[in-house]
Amino acid sequence: MSMIKVGIIGGTGYTGVELLRLLAVHPQVELKAITSRGEAGRKVADLFPSLRGHVGLAFSEPDPKLLAACDVVFSATPNGVAMQHARELLKAGTKLIDLAADFRLKDPAVWEQWYKMPHACPELLAEAVYGLPEVNRDKIKKARLIANPGCYPTATQLGFLPLLEKGLVEPGSLIADCKSGVSGAGRKPETHILFAEAADNFKAYGVGGHRHWPEIRQGLEIAAGRAVGLTFVPHLAPMIRGIHATLYAKLIDPKADVQALYEKRYANEPFVDVMPAGSYPDTRSVRGANICRLAVHRPAGGDTVVVLSVIDNLVKGAAGQAVQNMNILFGLDETTGLAAPALLP
C-alpha cells in the first residue's frame, strides 16, 4: 500500500514526542506536518535531540490546508483543542485520532461537568469511536474519528473487562487503586512534579473526583451491560513512566476459574499479556512497550479477585495505542512499528 501521510497537532509534550519516536520508524508512515504555535520554525530535533537523524521536520503553525491533505491527523494537545479542528478535518476526508479527552465521553453534559468547558462539536460524540482495540476493533476499522483512551482507563478497563463481560463479579463495588509515574502529569512546569517534590515521595490525589473516573465507568458499564459502582483512587509514584493498577472485585461464583477466563479472553490480543498464576507484573517490564501485562489473584482462595495491571502510560496508555489504532484503521498488521520489547533496566 502507499505510505500513510501523517500530521500531528501539538508535538511538544511527552505524548507528542513519544508519538514522533514511534512514527519516525514506522515503515508505512510519512510525516508531513508537526504543529506548535510556541515552537513554530524550530527543528524538532533541536527541541528533542533524541530524534536527531530520525525526524527532519520543523514545527509549524497549524495550517488547515496542510493538515487536511494528510490521511490521518493525531492531536496530541491539551483537552479542548482537538474539537476545534475536528469538523474541518473530517469534512476534508482526513481521519482524526485524538489523544486527549475531547471525544471519549458520549454525554456532552458529563464532558462539561468534568472538563469545565462546553463541547465545540457535540454532534460528533455519537460518531466518535472509543479507541480501545481489545473492545472496539471492528468499529475502529470503519472510523473517521477515534478517541484514544486515557492511561488510567486503559489499564483499569483491560483489567476488569473479562470479569464484567461474563457477569462473574458484583458490579456495585469495584475498586481501582492506581499509581502513575510523573510523566502522566504532562510536560509543564508545576510545583508538584518538580524533582524535589515528586522524588522519594508517594501520595494519592483526586480522591474526591478525577476526570478519568467517568471515562472508566462508561467503559465498564458497556462491558457489564448495567450500572457499575467504581471507587477510583489515583496516586503519584516517584517514577517517570508507568501505571500500576491494583483492581478489586467480589466474585459471584467462587468456583470460577478466573485465570482461564483471562487467558481465553486475551488469547488473540497482541498487546495484552496474561501472566502465569501468582505473577507480579512490574512497570519496568512494559517501559517503552505497547503492552498491558495482567496477573490475576484470589487471596487465600476467597471471593475477592485482585487483578494487577501494568502499562507504560505514554505508550499503551497514549501514543502506542494511538499508533495501534492507526494500524487498524488503515488495514495494517496491528503490531506494525510497535513490536519492540520493553526497555530494561
Side-chain angles (χ1 to χ4, degrees):
M1 64 174 288
S2 58
M3 299 291 275
I4 302 167
K5 296 189 289 293
V6 171
I8 300 173
I9 304 172
T12 60
Y14 289 137
T15 55
V17 70
E18 191 71 355
L19 195 54
L20 285 167
R21 180 181 75 87
L22 296 170
L23 292 174
V25 296
H26 193 292
Q28 292 297 134
V29 161
E30 182 183 355
L31 285 170
K32 301 296 286 186
I34 304 165
T35 76
S36 170
R37 296 184 190 279
E39 300 290 347
R42 187 177 183 184
K43 287 187 176 180
V44 170
D46 287 347
L47 183 62
F48 298 118
S50 59
L51 296 173
R52 282 174 60 85
H54 295 283
V55 178
L57 287 176
F59 292 106
S60 59
E61 292 279 353
D63 180 346
K65 289 184 179 179
L66 182 57
L67 292 171
C70 294
D71 297 311
V72 62
V73 167
F74 294 89
S75 184
T77 53
N79 299 317
V81 176
M83 62 186 184
Q84 308 297 334
H85 299 273
R87 284 197 191 101
E88 197 169 5
L89 288 170
L90 296 184
K91 186 178 179 182
T94 300
K95 312 277 190 181
L96 176 60
I97 299 175
D98 180 28
L99 279 75
D102 293 17
F103 298 99
R104 294 175 189 163
L105 301 177
K106 291 300 184 184
D107 186 337
V110 176
W111 157 268
E112 189 164 346
Q113 174 190 349
W114 287 92
Y115 290 91
K116 309 304 180 189
M117 65 180 90
H119 204 283
C121 44
E123 77 280 1
L124 292 177
L125 291 176
E127 176 186 346
V129 174
Y130 189 66
L132 195 63
E134 294 77 12
V135 174
N136 286 331
R137 185 171 281 107
D138 290 341
K139 292 180 180 178
I140 292 166
K141 290 177 183 177
K142 304 169 187 174
R144 294 194 306 162
L145 173 59
I146 294 174
N148 209 58
C151 48
Y152 283 128
T154 295
T156 302
Q157 289 177 84
L158 290 176
F160 273 135
L161 281 174
L163 297 168
L164 292 171
E165 288 170 346
K166 295 297 185 182
L168 294 181
V169 293
E170 297 175 10
S173 56
L174 305 174
I175 296 173
D177 181 15
C178 303
K179 293 88 178 172
S180 173
V182 181
S183 62
R187 188 174 178 265
K188 54 186 179 290
E190 291 188 347
T191 302
H192 76 284
I193 54 176
L194 293 173
F195 182 79
E197 300 286 333
D200 196 25
N201 191 25
F202 182 74
K203 66 176 181 180
Y205 66 97
V207 180
H210 187 282
R211 288 171 169 180
H212 282 171
W213 177 79
E215 179 185 343
I216 297 169
R217 187 183 62 168
Q218 176 180 269
L220 296 183
E221 289 185 341
I222 292 170
R226 56 187 291 189
V228 304
L230 172 70
T231 300
F232 167 58
V233 181
H235 301 72
L236 185 66
M239 59 186 181
I240 296 171
R241 289 174 180 251
I243 282 181
H244 189 298
T246 305
L247 312 172
Y248 302 85
K250 286 283 185 186
L251 271 177
I252 293 172
D253 177 9
K255 296 179 181 178
D257 186 341
V258 290
Q259 180 70 26
L261 169 73
Y262 276 74
E263 290 176 356
K264 182 178 180 181
R265 172 61 174 86
Y266 292 123
N268 297 314
E269 292 297 342
F271 294 117
V272 181
D273 175 26
V274 178
M275 300 182 72
S279 298
Y280 293 90
D282 52 7
T283 57
R284 71 175 187 165
S285 74
V286 296
R287 186 183 297 135
N290 189 59
I291 196 156
C292 174
R293 295 199 199 281
L294 298 172
V296 191
H297 293 256
R298 300 236 336 242
D303 62 356
T304 298
V305 181
V306 179
V307 182
L308 309 178
S309 175
V310 298
I311 63 170
D312 185 323
N313 55 294
L314 296 177
V315 190
K316 184 59 172 164
Q321 186 148 254
V323 174
Q324 185 181 354
N325 279 312
M326 179 196 73
N327 287 340
I328 297 169
L329 194 57
F330 288 90
L332 301 176
D333 185 294
E334 210 159 313
T335 63
T336 307
L338 295 171
L343 303 171
L344 193 72

